[in-house]
């Protein structure tokens, strides 16, 4: 049984009541281990560059990197498609660009969650122009019901229902990123 954690929101005007565990820490770690094993097998000791999409993918990227036995490099990029709240504005802004060239590199883009697909489809086009040797996508969570842009994700952690989730890097107005599990906000 999933434990229920109740955290009262004190923000005025926000009617979300409490947080419920959707994916606990053990399930997250087991799944990340499986993805790491799959990546290791597919890349056969080739150098891999994980591009972490800040800020939400930090926990996932770190855990994944630790579990891949091989030559793993890290790069960071920051885009934002959300204003405040739980609805995407649809507009994508590059807030922090890559610092080093990815030309000729084996890239795996690591994303926390794929929702409408706008962020990843924008990023794929952007990264392709930089001529990596290969480009794959890895998302911890996938909310397929909300897809607007089709995106082929190579590695998916969990498919989840259309709920707003927080924890393990994911935030609601910058809060709850540090929860070690994924929770949803029950309305
Ligand atoms: P997309 O462009 O609509 O696919 O949105 C992807 C981005 O929206 C993710 O990288 C998250 O930052 C954010 N996002 C989407 N759904 C959620 C959610 O349920 N909780 C927190 N952030 C979310
Ligand atoms: Mg994100």
């Amino acid at each position: 049984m999933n434990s229920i954690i109740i955290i009262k929101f004190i923000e005025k005007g926000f009617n979300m009541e409490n947080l419920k565990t959707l994916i606990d820490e053990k399930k997250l770690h087991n799944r990340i281990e499986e993805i790491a094993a799959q990546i290791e097998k597919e890349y056969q000791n080739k150098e891999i560059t994980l591009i972490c999409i800040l800020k939400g993918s930090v926990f996932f990227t770190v855990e994944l990197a630790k579990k891949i036995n091989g030559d793993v490099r890290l790069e960071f990029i920051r885009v934002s498609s959300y204003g405040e709240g739980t609805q995407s504005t649809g507009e994508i802004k590059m807030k922090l660009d890559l610092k080093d060239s990815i030309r000729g590199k084996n890239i795996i883009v690591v994303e926390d969650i794929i929702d409408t697909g706008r962020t990843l489809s924008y990023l794929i086009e952007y990264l392709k122009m930089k001529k990596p040797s290969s480009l794959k996508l890895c998302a911890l969570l996938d909310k397929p019901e909300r897809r607007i842009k089709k995106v082929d994700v190579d590695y998916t952690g969990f498919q989840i229902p259309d709920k707003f989730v927080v924890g393990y890097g994911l935030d609601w107005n910058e809060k709850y990123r540090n929860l070690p599990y994924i929770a949803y906000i029950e309305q």
Side-chain angles (χ1 to χ4, degrees), residues 161-177:
D162 180 13
K163 288 184 187 294
F164 194 81
V165 290
V166 293
Y168 210 73
L170 290 142
D171 73 309
W172 172 73
N173 285 354
E174 293 302 323
K175 283 187 180 179
Y176 308 117
R177 290 195 197 276

Side-chain angles (χ1 to χ4, degrees), residues 93-157:
K93 288 186 195 142
M94 179 71 69
K95 295 203 159 176
L96 175 77
D97 207 341
L98 291 169
K99 298 290 180 227
D100 296 319
S101 166
I102 58 163
R103 197 182 190 95
K105 302 272 186 201
N106 295 308
I107 300 296
I108 303 178
V109 177
V110 185
E111 180 59 306
D112 49 3
I113 185 165
I114 172 162
D115 185 24
T116 64
R118 286 191 184 112
T119 309
L120 277 180
S121 56
Y122 164 85
L123 270 178
I124 295 159
E125 291 316 309
Y126 175 76
L127 294 172
K128 269 186 191 161
M129 291 189 301
K130 297 186 176 289
K131 304 265 186 291
S133 147
S134 65
L135 181 61
K136 289 201 174 188
L137 302 180
C138 177
L140 179 63
L141 305 175
D142 182 5
K143 275 197 249 182
E145 286 167 52
R146 302 219 340 136
R147 198 75 85 255
I148 290 171
K149 295 239 175 185
K150 188 180 174 292
V151 181
D152 293 319
V153 183
D154 302 280
Y155 311 100
T156 305

Side-chain angles (χ1 to χ4, degrees), residues 28-29 32-33 35-36 39 48-68 72-77 108-113 138-141 168-170:
L28 283 170
H29 284 195
I32 296 171
E33 206 158 274
I35 296 172
I39 290 173
I48 301 167
T49 303
L50 301 180
I51 299 187
C52 169
I53 313 300
L54 294 171
K55 302 174 189 172
S57 307
V58 154
F59 290 54
F60 179 35
T61 306
V62 167
E63 204 51 46
L64 185 65
K66 285 194 290 181
K67 289 185 156 85
I68 301 171
V72 175
R73 285 139 201 255
L74 297 177
E75 290 291 343
F76 298 88
I77 213 167
I108 303 178
V109 177
V110 185
E111 180 59 306
D112 49 3
I113 185 165
C138 177
L140 179 63
L141 305 175
Y168 210 73
L170 290 142

